[in-house]
Each structure stands twice: as C-alpha cells, then as structure tokens.
Amino acid sequence: MKSISVGLSRHCSAVGGGIGRGRAFSYGFTRKRNQTQLSFPHLITTSYGFKSCSATLSVVEVEGKPKFDVDKTALLVKELRESFNSGRTKSYEWRISQLKSIDKMIDENEKKITEALHKDLSKPELEAFIAEISQVKSSCKLALKELRNWMIPEQVKTSLATYPSSAEIVSEPLGVVLVISTWNFPFLLSLDPVIGAISAGNAVVLKPSEIAPATSLLLSSLVEEYLDNSAIRVVEGAVDETTALLEQKWDKILYTGSARVGRIVMAAAAKHLTPVTLELGGKCPAVVDSNINLQVAVRRIITGKWACNNGQACIGVDYIITTKEFAPKLIDSIRYELEQFFGKDPMESKDISRIVSSSHFARLIKLLDEDKVSDKVVLGGQRDENQLKIAPTILLDVPDDSQIMQEEIFGPLMPILTVENLKDSFEVIKSKSKPLAAYLFTNDVQLKKDFVQNISSGGMLINDTILHVATDGLPFGGVGESGIGSYHGKFSFDAFSHKKAVLYRSFDGDTSVRYPPYTPKRVRLMKALISGNIISIILALIGWSKD
C-alpha cells in the first residue's frame, strides 16, 4: 500500500507558546518558507485499499518556532498517563469540578468566543450562540445533572447456571484520549466531545482545527486558565502536530472531519488497536413532498442550509429531491424566503457566514463552474473572492456524474433533483454513500414509515432539519462512510467509557457437578442446569431421564 497522506493548503497566524507540565500547547504558523511532502511511514499496512488517500501533504515550514515532534508528544502522553494512573480523573469530585469550570469558562468568555467565531467564519452573533455556545452549555449542564446516575453500575440478571450470584456493568474510563476537532463549528465540536471524555473520567488532549485559528488560540488559552492541565491539554498546530499526535498510543481517538482524513486517522489508530469514533459527513438529502406547509418547510430547509454556517455543516442539507411537477413552486418559495431572510442582496447580509478560506472558496467555484453544471443555475451564483462570499445558489437537475453530485458540497450551493414519483427518490439516495443525516418533508404517513424503514443514515428528521442533534436523548453519529460510533449526552459518556462486565459469587452453593470426573449423572445434571429446564433438573437429580 502506498503511504497515506492528505493535502492541506491553508496556514494561519497564531501566538506561539511553550511546552511543560501544567501548560497548554500553542504552536502557530507565521510564514511559509517552502513546501515539502510528508508521508505517514509508520501507519499500519493492511490489505484494504485506500485509493482516495494517496494525495500529498503540503507542510508549511516555520522559522523561529519549536518543533512539536514525536518525542515531545510522547512526553505529553506520558505525563497525562501518569496523571490518569494516579486515579485523580476517576473521582466524581474531579469530573464535576472540571465540568463546572467549563460552564464558568463559557459564562465569563462568551463575548470572546463570539468574536473568535466571527473572525474565523464571519459567523453571526445569534448563530454562534444558538449553534455553538448554547449547545456546549447544554451538554455541560446535562452532564452536571446526570453524571452521578451515569456512573452508577447497571445491575443485570444472572442465569441459573451461576446461582447464587449477582452481576453488574461498570462504566470505567478508557484512559488517555485524543479529540481532533474541525473548523466549521470549532467551539462546539471541540468542547462537546471533551465534556464527554471528562465526564467518563479520562485524561484528554484536544487538537483544534488550524483552519479556525482564532477559536483554536482562544481554546488553548481558556483550557490552560480554567481546567486541570495535569489531565487536560490543548495542542495547536497543523500537519506536523497532528502527525506527531497520531504516532502515539491513545486509549480512544474521536475525530471530526472529512472521510479522507478519517481513513488516515483510522489507519494510524489501527497500529495500536486504538478504538475510534469518526464523525464524518456525506451528501445529506432532503426529500420534499407536495402535500406540505410549503412556507414552513422552506424556512426549515433554509435554516438547515444557508443559516447553518452557510452550508458548511456536515448535517446541512446537501441536495433536495422533489417531483418535476412541484419543483417550480418549491424554487419560487425558496427564492421568496431567501429574500426575507437575507435581503435582496444576500452578499451584503450580516446574517450569513462567509466561506472559511480561499482554498474552500476555489473548490466551490470549481463545482459551480463545471461545464455540465454552470448552465443549471436558477437562482444566485454571485461570488466575491475578496470577501470569500458566495450567494445562496440553486441548481436544477444537475447531471448525476457531475462533481457537485459526487462529493459533499459543504457550501451554499443547493442542487434540486427532480423525479416522476417521490418514491423514486429512495433509489437516488441509495445510489450514494450513506449520509450523516436524511430529511423528509411530507404529511403522508406511509411515506414517513417507508422512509424510516428503507433509508439508512446516521440520523433522520421528518419535517425539519438539523434539530435532531440538539436532542440530548438521541445519539449523533454516522453509518458507513459518514462515520463510526456516536456521541452527545449520555452517548458521549458511553463513547469514552469501557463497559466492564462484573460477576459476583460467594463461596456458598458450590457443587461438585461442574468438576471432573464427568460421570453420566453429572453430565445429565449439568446439561439440565444449563438448559434451565426445571423438570429436566429434577429428573436428573433423582436419577431419571426424559429419554
């Protein structure tokens, strides 16, 4: 197998920091000197092909910055493992104290968090609060409220073969875990899994995304100030830092990002047989019926696309499927509601995020300007490279073999595909990789049942978008190429816990029937005990047989 690598083109500026016990790590990138290629020579070789992972990795070399290498990473992991092995993170009191510190950290720094998100993404203040800040606070408060219950061992029934006995499932922390976050919701997707890791009693390293440098730097500073740095650290940086981190043995890795890099993370984890949770993405469809409240449906679709980080969300609506007959009415309604949301010129709206970087902008423009796609635009299409803005854009019936329908869009472009019968949409969805989320708008009860029964996706929502991730009782995770494992609420606690099976027995009730020599009577009795058939047990005890 070829060495696995990934292409990254963005660099950022950030304040450098030092390494040491009790310090958060901050490694910035200030000036590009030259480009080199970096492979992953230590990743495990398997029989599986990762053809899509053969891209090169552009590394920005930095002058005047200490190199965060494998040795320094190994020292970091060693220090955290010593802290974990001391037992300090396992206590209820420590977990609660750290959760309270996170809650306090957010309360005291909400303005700084909002400003950082605006610097990175031009994220509107209300969107930053609803989609990121409030979600982290909600996760934190739920953990504070329920942690004691989560930690209580779960009692389970025992069998007659082990009588007398009792059994329980004990949730124990995995150890030292790594959380690799992403840039589109850089505050939420960094701290939400960290809350789960802390709640479960682990030591944790957070690697924020370098593509959201302001939020990354703020997280590094806040974690250093508010949390216990003997067990919780932040490592800033880009490729070198992530590569060095992935060389280490972790007890769990949670990664949020693209499927391409997810394969790299999984291959690195396989070297140490480290379990992973991969939160990836995919093309999330929205199937729209005609027998609906059109205005409400369209507003909810817009909220799940353009008002959700301008389409830069793994659970955002990627494309719409509706009938040929209903499509014109749907497009007219979207056009009208977009104007109500963002004004006549959405490029001037302060209520919509920008594209995160010039490289992502270029990728989206390439999708939009493809020969077989460019003439399918029925709304929008304006772009401003200097401001990194692209207007909400609708494309009608783009070819299935176009690039925009072959990859996750992750931006403000919305293809609408038409079918003769809405049931035909099922085959369209099934022809692609399983999405992280699937949406259906209909009042047809049977169609709802068929959709839930026949469409496989990480999550699903009927008659709305994205809100399922704000429901604490539901797991958030993918299936197939959209992810492995899940978290949120109690599921976050479970994701970072080992469910240890424990059986308790006394020295009473011991019977010689389980021990050699295996006489015919003992064989009959043991078989009867294992079967649990009371009549067979009685017959075996008195020496009779049912035969």
Side-chain angles (χ1 to χ4, degrees):
M1 188 181 75
K2 295 181 179 178
S3 60
I4 303 175
S5 55
V6 56
L8 294 174
S9 59
R10 181 177 173 83
H11 65 283
C12 62
S13 297
V15 178
I19 297 181
R21 181 180 292 274
R23 294 290 308 272
F25 299 144
S26 178
Y27 286 88
F29 291 84
T30 56
R31 182 164 73 87
K32 180 183 290 188
R33 186 170 67 184
N34 54 46
Q35 297 280 331
T36 63
Q37 285 190 346
L38 177 66
S39 64
F40 289 75
H42 301 295
L43 294 184
I44 190 169
T45 301
T46 73
S47 59
Y48 298 98
F50 291 110
K51 293 181 180 179
S52 62
C53 292
S54 59
T56 58
L57 185 62
S58 297
V59 180
V60 179
E61 293 189 1
V62 181
E63 292 181 345
K65 294 291 180 183
K67 184 176 177 61
F68 188 80
D69 56 18
V70 173
D71 291 337
K72 288 186 173 67
T73 314
L75 178 61
L76 163 66
V77 175
K78 180 182 177 182
E79 291 176 351
L80 292 180
R81 199 166 296 283
E82 288 174 355
S83 183
F84 174 78
N85 289 338
S86 73
R88 63 184 290 108
T89 68
K90 296 181 182 180
S91 72
Y92 172 79
E93 290 73 21
W94 182 87
R95 304 184 202 192
I96 286 293
S97 71
Q98 297 309 296
L99 293 172
K100 287 181 177 178
S101 294
I102 292 176
D103 191 47
K104 179 183 179 183
M105 178 182 79
I106 298 171
D107 284 340
E108 294 179 353
N109 295 277
E110 184 176 322
K111 183 178 180 182
K112 290 181 180 179
I113 297 165
T114 303
E115 289 173 349
L117 292 170
H118 191 268
K119 286 179 183 178
D120 288 331
L121 292 152
S122 292
K123 191 165 286 192
E125 180 180 355
L126 184 58
E127 185 180 332
F129 178 78
I130 293 174
E132 302 218 42
I133 297 170
S134 68
Q135 292 297 309
V136 176
K137 284 185 67 66
S138 176
S139 293
C140 195
K141 289 185 181 300
L142 178 69
L144 284 167
K145 178 183 177 183
E146 298 292 343
L147 181 58
R148 193 177 294 277
N149 291 329
W150 293 348
M151 292 176 66
I152 295 174
E154 178 187 350
Q155 302 299 312
V156 297
K157 293 181 179 180
T158 59
S159 66
L160 186 61
T162 65
Y163 179 85
S165 64
S166 63
E168 64 184 11
I169 301 171
V170 177
S171 296
E172 65 176 14
L174 293 171
V176 181
V177 302
L178 173 64
V179 173
I180 305 176
S181 185
T182 190
W183 55 263
N184 58 335
F185 293 88
F187 188 73
L188 169 66
L189 297 180
S190 292
L191 286 186
D192 199 9
V194 167
I195 288 170
I198 292 171
S199 298
N202 298 278
V204 57
V205 171
L206 168 64
K207 167 59 183 68
S209 173
E210 74 282 1
I211 300 179
T215 306
S216 176
L217 184 60
L218 180 62
L219 282 167
S220 177
S221 174
L222 293 180
V223 167
E224 180 179 4
E225 179 181 352
Y226 284 86
L227 300 183
D228 178 3
N229 295 155
S230 71
I232 306 166
R233 305 280 185 91
V234 172
V235 174
E236 285 197 275
V239 177
D240 284 347
E241 289 74 14
T242 304
T243 303
L245 288 168
L246 288 175
E247 285 289 329
Q248 305 306 309
K249 176 176 174 55
W250 303 92
D251 296 299
K252 179 70 177 277
I253 299 175
L254 187 147
Y255 165 77
T256 303
S258 69
R260 181 180 62 176
V261 179
R263 288 181 170 89
I264 295 172
V265 172
M266 194 170 183
K271 176 184 175 183
H272 302 289
L273 294 180
T274 297
V276 296
T277 294
L278 302 179
E279 298 296 343
L280 307 177
K283 298 187 72 62
C284 302
V287 177
V288 182
D289 202 352
S290 59
N291 62 348
I292 56 173
N293 184 321
L294 183 57
Q295 183 184 46
V296 172
V298 166
R299 286 179 174 179
R300 292 175 177 178
I301 290 171
I302 293 174
T303 299
K305 178 70 170 182
W306 297 284
C308 184
N309 205 28
N310 203 10
Q312 299 169 112
C314 55
I315 56 169
V317 179
D318 190 274
Y319 64 102
I320 293 172
I321 307 176
T322 191
T323 61
K324 293 183 183 296
E325 181 182 1
F326 190 63
K329 190 175 181 179
L330 175 61
I331 292 170
D332 286 343
S333 182
I334 294 175
R335 178 184 288 109
Y336 175 81
E337 294 298 339
L338 279 172
E339 185 174 325
Q340 300 305 304
F341 276 43
F342 306 119
K344 291 185 178 298
D345 185 2
M347 301 289 282
E348 298 299 322
S349 175
K350 303 298 183 184
D351 295 321
I352 192 167
S353 301
R354 64 166 169 81
I355 307 305
V356 68
S357 68
S358 57
S359 60
H360 284 272
F361 182 91
R363 179 185 63 83
L364 290 166
I365 294 303
K366 184 178 179 181
L367 295 180
L368 186 59
D369 288 348
E370 186 179 358
D371 288 342
K372 61 182 76 173
V373 171
S374 58
D375 62 347
K376 303 295 184 178
V377 175
V378 295
L379 177 66
Q382 305 95 317
R383 75 282 304 263
D384 183 339
E385 185 174 1
N386 292 329
Q387 298 296 320
L388 294 179
K389 287 188 174 183
I390 300 175
T393 301
I394 297 175
L395 307 98
L396 183 61
D397 283 330
V398 297
D400 187 62
D401 62 350
S402 60
Q403 197 60 37
I404 200 170
M405 289 308 300
Q406 295 301 309
E407 66 180 59
E408 184 178 10
I409 296 170
F410 227 69
L413 315 180
M414 177 82 90
I416 296 180
L417 309 182
T418 62
V419 291
E420 294 294 339
N421 187 297
L422 213 56
K423 279 289 187 72
D424 297 337
S425 65
F426 290 19
E427 293 307 314
V428 175
I429 297 170
K430 289 179 179 180
S431 69
K432 306 181 184 304
S433 297
K434 295 177 181 180
L436 186 58
Y439 306 110
L440 171 67
F441 291 85
T442 186
N443 281 317
D444 187 322
V445 174
Q446 188 58 49
L447 184 59
K448 293 177 187 178
K449 291 180 179 178
D450 292 342
F451 193 75
V452 172
Q453 183 69 32
N454 294 293
I455 298 301
S456 179
S457 60
M460 186 171 285
L461 187 51
I462 308 299
N463 291 333
D464 211 328
T465 60
I466 70 176
L467 285 182
H468 60 297
V469 301
T471 305
D472 293 328
L474 292 176
F476 172 62
V479 58
E481 290 200 14
S482 61
I484 298 171
S486 61
Y487 70 108
H488 275 197
K490 173 64 160 53
F491 299 98
S492 294
F493 177 86
D494 292 338
F496 289 101
S497 298
H498 166 60
K499 301 301 181 181
K500 182 166 62 179
V502 181
L503 180 69
Y504 297 93
R505 298 202 70 205
S506 71
F507 292 105
D508 299 327
D510 194 51
T511 175
S512 61
V513 70
R514 63 183 289 197
Y515 307 121
Y518 298 122
T519 64
K521 181 178 180 180
R522 287 184 179 183
V523 170
R524 286 196 303 271
L525 183 55
M526 182 57 75
K527 287 184 176 180
L529 287 170
I530 292 173
S531 72
N533 187 299
I534 299 297
I535 296 176
S536 295
I537 294 172
I538 294 172
L539 290 174
L541 285 170
I542 64 177
W544 289 5
S545 172
K546 293 175 66 176
D547 298 334

